């Protein structure tokens, strides 16, 4: 068969079986076409290429273009199989005078026809052609060649069909399709728009794998899209707003892209727009805020104005959506606005290097307060049937972010909502897996069709902890929280989170949020110990909590980098021990002795004697482990010293245990080795409190202190109470 015959056969074959003609259609008759069946038989029995081409020509005559249904297409496949298309795709040499792509074009056309059947699109013989098909996207050739264009169209149809199968995206990514699509788009050759559409689909289906396999090429596409976005003056900029979130990497966004994106958004949002134009821009801004915080917004006057504009627009959208009862809420847009409000809250509470000026902060707090009022109004309408909806979770999240910083405003409304918040948090806590899935749905709803940047917290309680910490200080909100069962829920939550840090779990991979949640729970419990001691004594959940604290502290104080959590656990345990001193668990049991030994270790290692140049006397200084976090630690340390002092007279076994640890002796030795002028009055008071109670509680302690020059040290530091106590027999 000559090259001209091959070309003619290819074109006539395409008239009947090209991808564009392989869409399902109604059969002309219920029975099979005898002529077609005879030609298909000839196709099956063909012994060489010439006979197969001839049979294909006969098939196309028997079946009019567009009349091939799924069953007929499958019979053609059964007759042709994969062997013939495979040979066409891999043939290195074409007949004399024939363009080298003609055979490949026919092979791709056959594959595209077969791929219209989802089962065939997932066939291994199709999947193993992905690398070959990907090369066709970037192959050089005459851009005006109709046959080449047709082959490119068929290639995209094959790849798109594969992408639509369950495991298709993974196969495409592994076959190098991501890089090929990126290069095809950046080359802006024929079909580049199809390349972008397929890239969007792959990123939506398997973002992480796409970036892992094709990061350099995807970043190049992002740079191109960002530059186009910055320059666009027509409606294409609104279309780019919808595309760009998909191309933001899970790691660092290139700075030049951030500049272009911010400049483009500033022009869009600074104009008078309809909602369909504004909403994609707000969603893109929210995606950037979620991924980069405020780093994408330039410092200076222009940046502060832009940020203020973003937050104001977001607050207006939230109020318009949530204040009108009965209107349909565009949940994706409102959730994106929540992300922008969170950015506003962060910048308004930042003391150093904030993008905002003080008057701007005051104005934004006012408009955010109104928007939060709308959120509260919405949540008050939420019934049990809606509690598991992602948008409710997103609304609780933004309220939690607000309450973490501000509880004095909207106090009445917040108090009215507290029963709902406790019930909601309890519902999601009891269904942890569903809550984790819900957080992913929120991320999808809010930002993009893919999972954005850092994972959003998977439980509502974690979002509410900071706000509840503030509210438990106030009488009214605290009483509501207690009445609704929040303390018991918090104890269960603390124990659950603590399990994640126990032996057998790899704490190195735990998110920081787990430790932060544990610390915040401790702060809430500390508030309750001080303001509601009766609750601690009567609620059995606190006995369980005390047992956990006692069992956990000995190992915790030995772990590097966890001193702040150890301080919280030690101080909370000491304060609770005063209230639960009659509990059998605190009567010198191994657990109680281990706990107090660990607490003594925490309290005793905070300060050391440090030599100073040019002086004979050392000074009292913070030990290295404590020095860097003392600002966060000191309040807990002083409270812990006070609590330990209160435990000594309540637990008769504690003073002898402290003596065996040599803490009182070493404390007096430390004070005797440093200059009294280097010890602050509050430190002197804390040390004296412990020493006096130990001396009063136990004769052997008094004797040990005297042997350690306790009376002389007490005199030097003007510790009158200790001096008097040691003077007694």
């Amino acid at each position: 068969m000559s090259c001209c015959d091959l070309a003619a056969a290819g074109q006539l074959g395409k008239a009947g079986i090209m991808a564009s003609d392989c869409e399902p259609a109604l059969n002309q008759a219920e029975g099979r076409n005898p002529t077609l069946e005879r030609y298909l038989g000839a196709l099956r029995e063909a012994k060489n290429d010439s006979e197969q081409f001839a049979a294909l020509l006969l098939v196309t005559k028997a079946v009019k273009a567009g009349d091939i249904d799924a069953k007929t297409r499958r019979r053609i496949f059964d007759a042709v199989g994969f062997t013939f298309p495979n040979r066409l795709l891999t043939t290195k040499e074409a007949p004399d005078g024939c363009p080298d792509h003609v055979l490949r074009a026919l092979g791709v056309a056959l594959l595209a026809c077969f791929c219209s059947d989802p089962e065939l699109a997932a066939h291994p013989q199709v999947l193993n052609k992905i690398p070959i098909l990907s090369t066709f996207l970037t192959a050089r050739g005459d851009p005006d060649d109709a046959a080449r264009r047709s082959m490119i169209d068929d290639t995209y149809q094959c790849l798109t069909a594969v992408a639509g199968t369950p495991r298709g995206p993974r196969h495409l990514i592994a076959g190098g399709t991501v890089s090929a699509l990126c290069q095809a788009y950046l080359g802006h050759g024929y079909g580049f728009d199809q390349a972008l559409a397929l890239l969007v689909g792959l990123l939506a289906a398997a973002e992480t794998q796409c970036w892992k396999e094709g990061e350099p090429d995807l970043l190049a596409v992002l740079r191109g899209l960002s530059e186009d976005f910055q320059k666009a003056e027509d409606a294409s900029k609104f279309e780019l707003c919808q595309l760009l979130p998909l191309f933001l990497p899970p790691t660092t966004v290139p700075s030049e892209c951030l500049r272009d994106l911010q400049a483009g958004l500033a022009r869009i949002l600074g104009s008078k727009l309809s909602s369909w134009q504004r909403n994609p821009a707000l969603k893109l801004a929210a995606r950037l805020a979620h991924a980069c915080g405020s780093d994408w917004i330039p410092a200076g006057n222009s940046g502060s104005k832009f940020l203020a504009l973003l937050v104001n627009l977001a607050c207006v959208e939230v109020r318009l959506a949530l204040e009108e009862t009965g209107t349909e809420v565009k949940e994706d847009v409102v959730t994106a606005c929540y992300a922008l409000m969170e950015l506003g809250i962060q910048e308004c509470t930042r003391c150093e290097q904030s993008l905002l000026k003080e008057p701007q902060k005051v104005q934004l707090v006012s408009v955010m307060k109104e928007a939060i009022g709308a959120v509260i109004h919405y949540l008050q309408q939420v019934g049990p049937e809606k509690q598991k909806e992602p948008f409710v979770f997103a609304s609780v999240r933004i309220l939690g972010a607000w309450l973490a910083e501000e509880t004095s405003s909207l106090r009445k409304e917040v108090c009215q909502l507290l029963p709902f918040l406790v019930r909601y948090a309890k519902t999601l806590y009891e269904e942890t897996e569903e809550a984790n899935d819900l957080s992913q749905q929120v991320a999808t709803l809010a930002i993009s069709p893919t999972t954005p940047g850092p994972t959003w917290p998977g439980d509502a309680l974690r979002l509410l902890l900071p706000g509840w910490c503030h509210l438990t200080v106030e009488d009214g909100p605290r009483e509501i929280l207690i009445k609704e069962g929040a303390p018991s829920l918090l104890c269960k939550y603390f124990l659950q989170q603590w399990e994640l840090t126990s032996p057998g779990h790899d704490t190195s991979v735990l998110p920081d949020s787990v430790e932060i949640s544990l610390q915040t729970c401790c702060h809430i419990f500390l508030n309750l110990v001080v303001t509601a001691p009766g609750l601690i004594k009567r609620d059995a959940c606190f006995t369980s909590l005390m047992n956990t604290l006692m069992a956990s502290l000995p190992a915790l104080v030995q772990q590097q980098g966890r001193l702040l959590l150890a301080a919280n656990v030690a101080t909370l345990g000491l304060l609770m021990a005063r209230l639960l001193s009659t509990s059998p668990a605190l009567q010198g049991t191994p657990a109680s002795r281990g706990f107090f030994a660990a607490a003594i270790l925490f309290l005793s290692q905070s300060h050391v004697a440090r030599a100073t140049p040019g002086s004979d006397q050392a000074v009292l200084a913070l030990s290295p482990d404590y020095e860097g976090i003392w600002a966060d630690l000191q309040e807990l340390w002083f409270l812990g010293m006070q609590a330990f002092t209160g435990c000594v007279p309540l637990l008769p076994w504690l003073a002898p245990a402290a003596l065996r640890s040599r803490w009182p002796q070493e404390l007096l030795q430390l004070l005797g080795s440093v200059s009294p002028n280097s010890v602050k009055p509050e430190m002197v008071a804390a040390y004296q409190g412990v020493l006096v109670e130990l001396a009063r509680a136990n004769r052997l302690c008094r004797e040990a202190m005297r042997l350690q020059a306790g009376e002389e040290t007490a005199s030097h530091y003007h510790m009158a109470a200790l001096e008097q106590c040691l003077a007694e027999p």
Side-chain angles (χ1 to χ4, degrees), residues 38 64 72 115 134 139 178 187 223 252 257 294 321 346 358 436 457 463 466 501 544 582 593:
R38 186 167 63 253
K64 294 181 180 179
T72 304
C115 285
S134 296
V178 172
R223 290 187 181 94
T252 304
C257 296
S294 60
Q346 293 166 9
E358 200 58 37
N436 286 325
L463 308 175
T501 69
S544 299
T582 58
R593 289 180 181 274

Side-chain angles (χ1 to χ4, degrees), residues 19 48 59 86 95 112 130 150 162 195 252 315 332 349 422 483 503 510 513 541 547 552 585 618 627 665 688 690:
N48 52 49
V59 169
N86 289 350
I130 289 173
S150 180
V162 172
T252 304
C315 290
D332 56 340
T349 54
V422 175
K483 180 181 177 182
L510 281 179
S513 56
C541 71
N547 291 335
S552 305
E627 194 169 13
Q665 300 97 307
Q688 178 177 226
V690 169

Side-chain angles (χ1 to χ4, degrees), residues 341-350 368 398 401-402 405:
M341 287 175 60
E342 280 198 53
L343 180 61
I345 292 170
Q346 293 166 9
E347 287 299 316
C348 284
T349 54
R350 181 180 293 182
M368 285 192 290
I398 186 60
W402 172 264
E405 305 295 343

Side-chain angles (χ1 to χ4, degrees), residues 698-720:
N698 187 271
R699 176 181 58 81
L700 294 177
C701 281
R702 291 195 297 274
E703 292 177 0
M705 291 181 195
R706 293 190 192 105
L707 291 174
Q708 196 63 50
E711 291 173 290
E712 181 180 351
T713 301
S715 176
H716 286 161
Y717 285 89
H718 307 291
M719 295 179 177

Side-chain angles (χ1 to χ4, degrees), residues 492-558:
K492 293 176 183 177
Y493 179 77
F494 181 90
L495 297 177
Q496 179 206 57
Q497 295 291 297
W498 192 264
E499 278 296 312
L500 299 176
T501 69
S502 62
H505 290 81
D506 185 0
T507 57
S508 64
V509 299
L510 281 179
D512 293 340
S513 56
V514 172
E515 190 147 322
I516 293 172
S517 293
L518 289 170
Q519 292 178 24
T520 310
C521 281
C522 286
H523 295 167
I524 295 175
F525 296 140
L526 286 170
N527 290 341
L528 294 175
V529 166
V530 174
T531 60
L535 174 70
I536 308 300
K537 293 179 180 179
R538 68 174 180 266
D539 198 320
C541 71
F542 288 101
T543 301
S544 299
L545 176 62
M546 185 71 214
N547 291 335
T548 298
L549 299 178
M550 289 194 298
S552 305
L553 186 62
L556 184 60
V557 294
Q558 303 291 342

Side-chain angles (χ1 to χ4, degrees), residues 185-499:
Y185 173 75
L186 292 170
H188 275 67
Y190 179 76
F192 78 97
D193 53 337
Q194 297 181 71
L196 185 62
L198 188 49
L199 265 179
V200 167
L202 290 178
L203 284 167
E207 178 192 32
T208 302
Q209 293 89 338
C210 285
W211 281 100
K212 183 178 179 181
E213 294 295 329
E215 181 171 351
D217 294 300
L218 284 169
L219 286 176
V221 172
L222 174 61
R223 290 187 181 94
L225 291 173
S226 301
E227 188 175 349
D228 291 345
F229 179 63
Q230 194 271 336
K231 294 178 180 178
E233 297 291 345
D234 55 12
S236 66
K237 60 188 175 183
F238 304 115
E239 297 173 2
L240 286 168
C241 276
Q242 297 176 330
L243 284 178
L244 279 162
L246 288 159
F247 287 89
L248 295 178
T251 53
T252 304
V253 182
S255 57
E256 64 271 24
C257 296
L258 292 178
R259 285 194 299 270
D260 287 341
L261 293 173
Q262 189 275 329
L265 282 171
R267 286 209 311 274
I268 290 176
L269 294 174
S271 306
K272 187 175 182 180
L273 303 170
S274 61
S275 60
W276 74 266
Q277 295 169 322
R278 181 175 57 253
N279 292 345
L282 289 173
K283 293 174 71 174
L284 173 57
R287 177 66 174 88
L288 289 167
H290 188 67
C292 310
S294 60
D295 293 344
W296 62 288
I297 301 176
N301 190 51
S302 63
S304 64
K305 286 183 177 179
F306 175 70
L307 177 57
L309 173 65
L310 274 181
V311 179
N312 273 288
L313 287 174
C315 290
V316 170
E317 286 292 328
V318 169
R319 291 189 63 189
L320 287 174
L322 301 184
E323 286 183 346
E324 294 295 329
T325 305
T327 59
E328 183 179 355
V329 177
K330 294 180 179 178
E331 296 178 350
D332 56 340
V333 177
V334 177
T335 310
C337 291
Y338 287 165
L340 296 175
M341 287 175 60
E342 280 198 53
L343 180 61
I345 292 170
Q346 293 166 9
E347 287 299 316
C348 284
T349 54
R350 181 180 293 182
C351 298
E352 297 180 0
Q353 297 182 333
S354 173
L355 291 171
L356 298 169
K357 300 173 183 177
E358 200 58 37
Q360 289 174 316
K361 290 183 179 181
V362 172
Q363 188 270 332
L364 289 182
V365 168
S366 176
V367 297
M368 285 192 290
K369 174 184 173 182
E370 294 173 347
I372 291 297
V375 174
I376 293 175
H377 171 75
Y378 165 76
L379 290 175
Q380 287 172 336
Q381 319 303 317
V382 172
E385 72 283 355
K386 288 189 174 183
Q387 287 193 11
K388 296 177 184 178
E389 293 184 2
F391 184 65
V392 177
F393 186 92
S395 301
V396 171
R397 174 186 168 90
I398 186 60
L399 178 59
W402 172 264
L403 292 177
E405 305 295 343
E406 173 58 58
T407 57
S408 59
S409 60
L410 300 171
R411 183 175 302 182
K412 178 181 177 182
E413 292 83 353
V414 170
C415 287
Q416 291 174 343
L417 191 65
L418 278 178
F420 165 80
L421 293 177
V422 175
R423 291 193 301 271
Y424 181 77
K426 184 178 181 181
T427 298
L428 293 194
Y429 166 76
E430 291 173 348
E431 301 177 20
T432 305
E433 288 188 6
E434 187 164 346
N436 286 325
D437 180 63
L438 190 59
S439 72
Q440 294 303 312
Q441 294 180 51
V442 172
T444 300
L445 174 70
I447 309 300
S448 74
T450 60
T451 304
T455 304
W456 289 34
D459 59 87
L461 197 48
R462 184 178 300 167
L463 308 175
L464 296 169
L465 288 177
W468 287 7
C469 187
H470 298 315
L471 292 170
T472 48
V473 177
E474 305 175 26
D475 292 341
R478 182 178 62 251
E479 290 175 5
I480 296 173
L481 288 170
I482 292 173
K483 180 181 177 182
E484 296 296 329
S488 176
L489 175 61
L490 288 169
C491 283
K492 293 176 183 177
Y493 179 77
F494 181 90
L495 297 177
Q496 179 206 57
Q497 295 291 297
W498 192 264
E499 278 296 312

